[in-house]
Structures are given as structure tokens and as C-alpha cells.
Amino acid sequence: EALKVEIDEGVEVEKITKQANNSFLISAKEPAGVSYEAKTVIVATGAHPKELNIPGEKEYRTKGVSYCTVCDGPIFAGKTCATIGGGNSALESALMLADICSKVYVINKNPNFKGEQVLIDNLKAKKNVEIIANAKTTEIFGSEFAQGLKYSDATRDTLHELRADGIFVHIGMIPNSFMVPVEVEKDKFGYIKVNANCETNLAGLFAAGDVTDVPYKQNPIAAGQGTIALLSAVGYLNRQQS
């Protein structure tokens, strides 16, 4: 606002297309018919966590249910927490919590973890960690805040209730990269590939933050990448003008 930049809120971008004149056409899904033309584009649309889609999950989000242990784990120091998932992110979450919580449950719907063996071994060595395999989380319950979860045991076809102050869901992330041109390279998970300058393989299109293949998804990293992308875009425009 101080720099008199026009901000368009409430616009849902549906598609970005590179045109014959090397400019980009940004088309909106909502409001219908809205479009923009630009010489460069910085995609900083982030990623969203996969959800369990069970009763209580949405109701207790930010009220005991979290998708980021690095962000919210310290809030539950000395308390009982549960991590849901079976990959590296879930293992790392549980290891972080084990160092600050009195008790940690790890709920894995599969019989075995899918993460790195060294993480699995480290987790199994923690005395305050209880691993519950073949467990499908079916509900999150509570009052003003989350108080626990329910899960079904696939091996016995029984339903169980577990008390927990904090519930961390780590079953994967989905990058919001659907709108970029088809020519833009992505990894197998859909994250946009960028180099150290936040350049994509498509000249004039840059990406920053959690939508990229940067290994760590944290706000300070995203902010730093945003600065790099902006400086790279300015450099690109300067070279175009020369």
C-alpha cells in the first residue's frame, strides 16, 4: 500500500499461459472473465496438507489439531500428543515431540512405516513413544479444544479411543501448482522445480516457497525465496529491456 501497489483480492487464478510475444496471460476462475497480462510471473501459491477427512478434523484445526509440528509442537511441551502418518514427515514429527512431550503416540494405518530406517530406529528407541500400527483414525473429539482421537484396529476390527492434547497430521502435502503452464517442470509430487535463483525452466516465470521443490517448508525459507525470486525477476526484466 505504501508503494501504491494495486492488490486484487478475491481472485482465484485458474491458468497461466505463455503467449507468442513472451508475455504471460493469467486467467481467473473467479471472478469469471478476469485476466491479467505480465512480462514476468512469480508463483508463490504454497501447498496444502492432505487431510484425514474425518469428523472433528476441521472443527479442531488450530484448536489442538495441527499439520506442522515445527510450528506448533512447542505449545504442547510436557503434554500428551499423537502424530498420524507413516512417512518421513510423521517420523520426524514424532521425534521432535518425543523430546518435549511426556507421551507420544504414533498412529500408522499401515503395518510398517514407509520412512527412512534410521528415523524408524531412532523413534523405536524413545521410551515415551508408543507406536500403534494398522490403525485408521476415524474421529477427533473434544470440547473447546481437541481432547483425543478414535481409531479402528484393522487386524482385530475393533474401535479404540486415545486421549491426546495435541494431534499432528502428517500424511503428505499437495503443492498448489496446477495453474502453471504445462511446459514448467515439476517433480513427481507436483512441486515446481527451481534453481538457486528461483527460476523455472520457462523464461520469465519464477516460483518461491512451499510450491517449489525446496526441501524444507517453513515461513522464513519461503520469505527468503520470495526475495530471491523478486530480484531474479527484476534482473530478467532489465536484460529484456537492454
Side-chain angles (χ1 to χ4, degrees):
E1 292 175 346
L3 296 173
K4 311 300 180 185
V5 176
E6 184 177 346
I7 302 172
D8 282 4
E9 295 182 334
V11 177
E12 183 181 354
V13 174
E14 182 176 40
K15 188 177 182 181
I16 301 171
T17 308
K18 184 137 190 197
Q19 304 183 107
N21 64 356
N22 281 331
S23 67
F24 292 91
L25 180 67
I26 300 100
S27 304
K29 180 179 180 180
E30 294 290 341
V34 172
S35 63
Y36 308 84
E37 189 171 3
K39 293 180 179 179
T40 63
V41 175
I42 299 174
V43 179
T45 46
H48 62 277
K50 290 183 179 179
E51 298 180 354
L52 297 165
N53 294 314
I54 59 173
E57 182 179 13
K58 293 186 184 298
E59 291 86 339
Y60 294 108
R61 186 167 184 168
T62 73
K63 296 180 180 180
V65 174
S66 173
Y67 301 84
C68 180
T69 303
V70 174
C71 311
D72 300 324
I75 298 172
F76 299 94
K79 297 184 177 182
T80 298
C81 285
T83 288
I84 302 170
N88 278 345
S89 61
L91 293 168
E92 290 171 348
S93 164
L95 284 169
M96 291 180 203
L97 293 172
D99 288 337
I100 59 175
C101 294
S102 59
K103 178 73 176 182
V104 179
Y105 296 99
V106 185
I107 313 298
N108 182 11
K109 70 177 183 179
N110 299 307
N112 300 301
F113 289 114
K114 296 181 179 179
E116 295 178 42
Q117 190 60 46
V118 63
L119 297 177
I120 298 171
D121 293 341
N122 289 342
L123 188 63
K124 288 181 177 179
K126 298 289 185 179
K127 294 183 179 180
N128 62 336
V129 172
E130 182 176 338
I131 298 169
I132 305 175
N134 295 301
K136 183 180 179 181
T137 308
T138 58
E139 182 183 346
I140 295 171
F141 63 86
S143 180
E144 184 180 356
F145 295 93
Q147 295 176 332
L149 58 85
K150 295 179 181 180
Y151 69 90
S152 59
D153 187 329
T155 60
R156 301 177 183 176
D157 196 26
T158 53
L159 189 64
H160 301 265
E161 185 174 296
L162 194 69
R163 290 278 171 170
D165 302 295
I167 299 168
F168 294 85
V169 181
H170 287 282
I171 57 174
M173 299 288 291
I174 303 173
N176 303 318
S177 60
F178 62 88
M179 77 291 293
V180 300
V182 294
E183 310 97 288
V184 174
E185 291 183 1
K186 303 176 185 177
D187 67 13
K188 64 180 181 179
F189 301 108
Y191 291 99
I192 300 172
K193 292 184 177 182
V194 294
N195 62 16
N197 295 321
C198 290
E199 298 169 315
T200 70
N201 65 304
L202 189 61
L205 192 139
F206 306 84
D210 289 7
V211 74
T212 73
D213 61 348
V214 62
Y216 299 107
K217 314 298 184 186
Q218 296 295 326
N219 289 341
I221 295 172
Q225 274 200 306
T227 304
I228 293 171
L230 178 59
L231 294 173
S232 296
V234 171
Y236 172 83
L237 289 171
N238 287 339
R239 291 192 295 274
Q240 295 300 111
Q241 292 170 355
S242 61

